[in-house]
């Protein structure tokens, strides 16, 4: 078994769509970044890569590389997963905490889980997403950005014990 952790944070700005877990979520602002700035998917990528000892998202997909300008982050997860799956792993489970003061994400959890499960070749029951707020504290509490922390457990593809 291998375990990995991922963390990411992006600023919320007007004039951008809000993409989380590959879903477009109706909101007056969106996350700013070079790609679609999908902070949840970025944290999952870093956790998956970290668990497999494959570095991090910045080393795989350069933050200034024009090929990744505006790219859908689910596609980056797909590429990352192909690499990790190729080393003989499957997903044990993914657990993610998304810190967003607004909007409320609970109605979107099922859709985000479905997207991530599909890309990671696993069942939705192995993916858990927990939206929370920052209780009004600090920049996250003021709605200046959204952060995500993710843990991923990888198991060897042939191991049926888990
Ligand atoms: Mg990011």
């Amino acid at each position: 078994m291998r375990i990995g952790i991922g963390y990411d944070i992006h600023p919320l700005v007007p004039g951008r769509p809000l993409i989380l877990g590959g879903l477009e979520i109706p909101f007056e602002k969106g996350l700013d970044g070079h790609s679609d700035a999908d902070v949840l998917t970025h944290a999952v990528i870093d956790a998956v890569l970290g668990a497999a000892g494959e570095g991090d998202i910045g080393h795989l997909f350069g933050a200034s590389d024009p090929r990744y300008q505006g790219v859908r982050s689910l596609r980056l997860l797909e590429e990352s997963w192909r690499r990790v799956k190729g080393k003989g792993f499957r997903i044990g489970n993914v657990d993610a905490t998304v810190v967003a003061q607004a909007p409320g994400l609970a109605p979107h959890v099922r859709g985000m889980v479905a997207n991530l499960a599909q890309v990671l070749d696993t069942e939705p029951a192995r993916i858990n997403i927990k939206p929370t707020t920052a209780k009004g504290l600090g920049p996250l509490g003021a709605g200046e950005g959204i952060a995500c922390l993710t843990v991923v457990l990888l198991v060897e593809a042939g191991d049926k014990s888990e």
Side-chain angles (χ1 to χ4, degrees):
M1 285 185 192
R2 305 274 302 209
I3 191 165
I5 186 169
Y7 169 77
D8 198 19
I9 185 167
H10 282 261
L12 272 170
V13 296
R16 295 258 306 179
L18 175 58
I19 311 289
L20 287 172
L23 273 193
E24 183 166 345
I25 293 168
F27 192 50
E28 71 222 25
K29 294 178 181 178
L31 293 170
D32 199 19
H34 184 61
S35 63
D36 64 4
D38 182 339
V39 69
L40 166 60
T41 301
H42 291 182
V44 173
I45 290 172
D46 260 358
V48 164
L49 291 176
E54 287 288 321
D56 65 37
I57 186 171
H59 129 112
L60 222 60
F61 312 106
S64 55
D65 190 327
R67 279 179 301 165
Y68 303 120
Q69 174 104 44
V71 74
R72 291 190 71 217
S73 297
L74 275 191
R75 202 167 71 64
L76 304 181
L77 178 59
E78 210 172 276
E79 242 177 277
S80 307
W81 180 241
R82 196 177 310 127
R83 172 180 291 246
V84 170
K85 193 181 171 185
K87 292 180 92 175
F89 291 113
R90 64 178 175 81
I91 294 292
N93 72 299
V94 174
D95 188 24
T97 297
V98 184
V99 185
Q101 194 63 39
L105 298 176
H108 307 290
V109 164
R110 192 193 284 258
M112 296 190 282
V113 164
N115 282 348
L116 294 175
Q118 193 191 12
V119 172
L120 293 170
D121 303 309
T122 192
E123 310 92 69
R126 291 183 183 272
I127 313 270
N128 194 74
I129 297 174
K130 308 183 300 290
T132 188
T133 73
K135 309 287 184 295
L137 294 171
L140 287 177
E144 292 175 22
I146 295 179
C148 183
L149 257 175
T150 299
V151 170
V152 169
L153 184 76
L154 298 179
V155 295
E156 285 181 21
D159 182 354
K160 304 290 180 219
S161 65
E162 192 285 325

